[in-house]
Amino acid sequence: MEKAVDNSARTFMDMMRMPVLFYRSIGEDIYAHRSTNPLKSLLLKIYLYAGFINFNLLVIGELVFFYNSLQDFDTIRLAIAVAPCIGFSLVADFKQVAMVNGRKTMIMLLDDLEDMHPKTLEKQKEYKLSDFEKTMKRVINIFTFLCLAYTTTFSFDPAIKASVKFNLLGYDTFDRNFGFLIWFPFDATSSNWVYWIMYWDIAHGAYLAGIAFLCADLLLVVVITQICMHFNYISMRLEQHPCKSEEDRENIEFLIGIIRYHDKCLKLCESVNDLYSFSLLLNFLMASMQICFIAFQVTESTVEVIIIYCIFLMTSLVQVFLVCYYGDTLIAASLRVGDAAYNQKWFQCSKSYCSMLKLLILRSQKQASIRPPTLPPISLVTYMKVISMSYQFFALLRTTYSVN
């Protein structure tokens, strides 16, 4: 790979900017192994662990509230209201655990991608980096906006609503409510100072959950975008190779380089699966239930609650679609390598070259993909199945609730 870096070229760290910055805002430093300031790294780690201890205590409070609400039919709607928030929190928790457990894999994956990243502007044009980056940025911006909008509206809606009533509309009392349904072992609204301490504590927990949920997917988007770019470059090189019969040695050397390059990309895909497979399994299992419960809230609530839960619903739908879209894109990009190899003028080359090309085509027919355990490779078909399952749960829930 090129050693010199063109100042006008986009670096790998430019593409990693969003997940790196957001992760650091909760104390998670992806590149802590490169840090030259051990004190800063230690403080970030303390901040991260303190945040997650607080967050998990709040999740326990949600679970207790959920259990208590199930004890009486009159409060079942409250259980349904808190259920998607619990699902979101558990997925965020598990994603962070997966990142911590797979840190070595993640570091190796990111280092390999950075090493393979085209360094000069001319090379980046050959790779069509700008096209891939443009799509990636749009996806990241949309999903980031929705994810932060969900946590922000849930966190600050009660305080804003109570402030408007108390300060502008002349209400006698300030309603001390929280954005999330959580059980406390004490009266969290007994006084102003207790209320506001708990309010900002919950707001921080919601932000941490949103960032942990968001950044794992942003990192996946960046990684899959890079791998697809490399697959696309391999396909383009194969299709453009002239395959002149009088240059058999050059042809074989070219093909050996391509096979090694292709094998490297396939190993990167395996690293992605090692890092994400189990967290995505939980993600898809929870997503079906989340979408079901959110949809129920949208159909059975007031206008204000409907607006808030609509943002939550859009976030959940977009998150599942995002993962499925990039899974589908990865499959298509890897299969395109075999098509490009076959479209060469291989009939002009030697038998040795054709035999090697045949092996490349056979290997490319085994698609690179994101594969959660026990589930088929993730694609847009997976998205349709998740939506279908969510609707079935929703119809069952509506029927059960209306009968009772």
Side-chain angles (χ1 to χ4, degrees):
M1 300 304 291
E2 302 81 14
K3 298 297 181 184
V5 179
D6 190 334
N7 290 331
S8 59
R10 301 289 290 171
T11 66
F12 180 72
M13 291 306 296
D14 289 332
M15 301 186 75
M16 284 288 294
R17 187 173 63 88
M18 289 283 276
V20 167
L21 288 177
F22 276 122
Y23 257 139
R24 279 182 183 161
S25 72
I26 62 170
E28 177 65 272
D29 188 0
I30 297 175
Y31 290 101
H33 61 290
R34 299 183 184 179
S35 176
T36 56
N37 189 339
L39 178 60
K40 181 182 177 182
S41 296
L42 177 62
L43 291 174
L44 282 173
K45 188 169 288 188
I46 292 172
Y47 175 53
L48 174 69
Y49 283 115
F52 266 95
I53 290 171
N54 169 64
F55 167 63
N56 281 290
L57 289 173
L58 294 173
V59 173
I60 291 171
E62 286 185 321
L63 289 169
V64 173
F65 184 93
F66 177 77
Y67 175 79
N68 291 339
S69 299
L70 289 177
Q71 304 309 305
D72 190 341
F73 181 78
D74 293 334
T75 58
I76 282 182
R77 283 194 61 178
L78 294 176
I80 294 172
V82 75
C85 298
I86 293 172
F88 184 91
S89 299
L90 292 177
V91 172
D93 234 345
F94 202 82
K95 283 182 177 181
Q96 184 61 28
V97 170
M99 289 295 136
V100 172
N101 288 340
R103 180 168 292 278
K104 288 184 179 179
T105 301
M106 179 180 68
I107 290 171
M108 290 176 60
L109 173 64
L110 296 179
D111 286 349
D112 286 344
L113 284 171
E114 187 172 7
D115 183 59
M116 294 170 66
H117 187 79
K119 305 298 188 296
T120 64
L121 187 60
E122 181 182 354
K123 202 68 177 174
Q124 288 180 3
K125 288 179 179 178
E126 289 182 28
Y127 276 80
K128 299 181 179 178
L129 175 64
S130 59
D131 295 338
F132 285 94
E133 188 178 21
K134 190 182 297 183
T135 303
M136 183 194 77
K137 281 187 173 180
R138 287 173 181 169
V139 170
I140 285 177
N141 289 338
I142 292 170
F143 184 53
T144 300
F145 171 78
L146 285 172
C147 207
L148 294 182
Y150 151 64
T151 54
T152 302
T153 51
F154 266 78
S155 296
F156 297 111
D157 173 68
I160 293 172
K161 185 169 62 176
S163 296
V164 169
K165 288 180 178 180
F166 185 73
N167 296 314
L168 299 180
L169 302 181
Y171 279 54
D172 295 331
T173 58
F174 186 95
D175 295 332
R176 296 172 185 166
N177 295 318
F178 298 109
F180 297 89
L181 300 172
I182 301 173
W183 173 86
F184 295 98
F186 55 89
D187 187 357
T189 60
S190 59
S191 63
N192 267 332
W193 69 272
V194 173
Y195 170 72
W196 284 112
I197 287 174
M198 294 312 303
Y199 193 96
W200 287 106
D201 181 67
I202 293 171
H204 178 266
Y207 176 76
L208 185 142
I211 295 302
F213 186 91
L214 167 70
C215 284
D217 291 330
L218 294 190
L219 189 61
L220 179 66
V221 168
V222 173
V223 168
I224 297 300
T225 296
Q226 285 277 312
I227 295 175
C228 288
M229 179 186 72
H230 290 296
F231 276 132
N232 185 71
Y233 181 71
I234 291 171
S235 300
M236 184 181 66
R237 289 288 307 278
L238 283 168
E239 287 180 338
Q240 293 176 354
H241 186 66
C243 287
K244 295 180 180 179
S245 56
E246 64 273 13
E247 299 177 356
D248 187 57
R249 183 177 177 182
E250 288 79 359
N251 290 337
I252 290 178
E253 287 178 355
F254 161 79
L255 192 55
I256 289 173
I258 288 291
I259 289 172
R260 286 174 177 167
Y261 190 5
H262 184 244
D263 184 62
K264 181 69 173 175
C265 292
L266 293 174
K267 287 179 180 177
L268 292 176
C269 292
E270 290 306 312
S271 296
V272 173
N273 278 300
D274 291 340
L275 186 61
Y276 278 95
S277 59
F278 283 100
S279 62
L280 286 177
L281 174 63
L282 179 66
N283 192 162
F284 281 103
L285 293 176
M286 285 291 186
S288 298
M289 301 301 293
Q290 264 182 256
I291 294 169
C292 159
F293 287 127
I294 296 169
F296 182 83
Q297 283 297 113
V298 169
T299 59
E300 295 288 335
S301 301
T302 61
V303 174
E304 177 193 341
V305 175
I306 287 173
I307 293 172
I308 294 174
Y309 274 90
C310 273
I311 296 173
F312 194 1
L313 179 62
M314 288 175 63
T315 304
S316 298
L317 290 172
V318 168
Q319 190 271 334
V320 176
F321 178 79
L322 178 149
V323 175
C324 293
Y325 170 78
Y326 275 94
D328 200 78
T329 302
L330 179 61
I331 291 172
S334 66
L335 291 176
R336 202 175 299 125
V337 172
D339 295 336
Y342 184 76
N343 289 335
Q344 278 190 330
K345 294 181 180 179
W346 47 265
F347 46 83
Q348 298 178 356
C349 299
S350 66
K351 289 184 178 179
S352 298
Y353 181 88
C354 291
S355 297
M356 291 172 63
L357 191 67
K358 188 190 297 181
L359 292 174
L360 176 62
I361 293 172
L362 286 172
R363 180 61 190 88
S364 66
Q365 288 176 345
K366 185 181 179 182
Q367 63 196 25
S369 59
I370 309 171
R371 303 181 304 276
T374 73
L375 293 179
I378 292 175
S379 65
L380 292 175
V381 175
T382 312
Y383 182 72
M384 293 167 59
K385 289 180 179 179
V386 169
I387 299 301
S388 175
M389 190 179 300
S390 298
Y391 178 76
Q392 291 173 19
F393 285 138
F394 169 71
L396 177 63
L397 185 61
R398 281 294 302 272
T399 303
T400 304
Y401 192 81
S402 60
V403 168
N404 291 321

